Amino acid sequence: MNAGDWNNPAPATTMTVLEQYKAKLAERIRPWRDFFTGFGLPPSGETKARIQQNVAYFQGNYAALTLLVLGFSILTSPFVAISLLILAGMYFYLYIHRKEPLVIGDRTIEDREKNIIMIVASVVLLLGSGAPGVLLWCATVSALIIVSHGALHIPSCDDLFSQPVLANPAPAIV
């Protein structure tokens, strides 16, 4: 590595973005021992406040569980998994591996046309594989887990003072 390379860092790649997200998620995850202990019915009228407090405090844990539900659903839906692998291969070949322009017959395909082709292929493959149903199932299961845990988990004193309840908590997945 040359001395000049330090002054001009490479633009963020997909892997560095994923690594940054993983680090942020790991920072937000509370101890799983706290997550799985201390359950009880909320007093009358306090369910919404308890859910808001638990979502703000355990948002990293909820994001991790949502990713697990998503991974499980993709692995148990072979058509969706195969479609995602095909799409990943197509994107890798056309945007990363292939350095020269794409030529079909005598015609050179421009970047704009290539993008349109990939969007259409993505929509057709994902709709044909049943991906919207899988995503709806993931969203429903994740919401059920988050709301039920948020309503039934009794916040400890540490939870009360370690992080304020935000009116609009930041989304768990950035």
Side-chain angles (χ1 to χ4, degrees), residues 122-144:
S122 298
V123 169
V124 168
L125 272 172
L126 293 176
L127 288 178
S129 68
V134 170
L135 289 176
L136 182 62
W137 182 85
C138 290
T140 304
V141 169
S142 297
L144 183 65

Side-chain angles (χ1 to χ4, degrees), residues 17-129:
V17 170
L18 291 175
E19 289 167 359
Q20 290 171 354
Y21 174 72
K22 181 181 170 186
K24 285 181 184 179
L25 181 62
E27 289 173 4
R28 292 182 185 167
I29 292 179
R30 304 296 181 174
W32 290 102
R33 176 181 21 84
D34 296 345
F35 187 80
F36 288 113
T37 58
F39 290 93
L41 293 175
S44 180
E46 292 185 19
T47 305
K48 182 180 176 185
R50 188 185 278 191
I51 291 172
Q52 289 175 333
Q53 182 179 1
N54 282 327
V55 166
Y57 186 75
F58 288 115
Q59 65 178 321
N61 299 71
Y62 294 142
L65 286 174
T66 300
L67 290 174
L68 283 174
V69 168
L70 181 63
F72 173 77
S73 64
I74 289 172
L75 290 176
T76 58
S77 304
F79 291 124
V80 174
I82 291 169
S83 295
L84 289 175
L85 287 174
I86 291 171
L87 283 175
M90 290 170 59
Y91 276 97
F92 175 78
Y93 178 74
L94 289 176
Y95 292 103
I96 297 173
H97 178 70
R98 185 176 188 81
K99 301 300 181 200
E100 64 275 354
L102 180 62
V103 178
I104 298 177
D106 297 340
R107 189 167 193 287
T108 301
I109 305 298
E110 301 294 328
D111 285 341
R112 182 172 181 254
E113 295 167 325
K114 186 169 57 171
N115 292 341
I116 292 171
I117 291 168
M118 289 304 297
I119 289 170
V120 170
S122 298
V123 169
V124 168
L125 272 172
L126 293 176
L127 288 178
S129 68

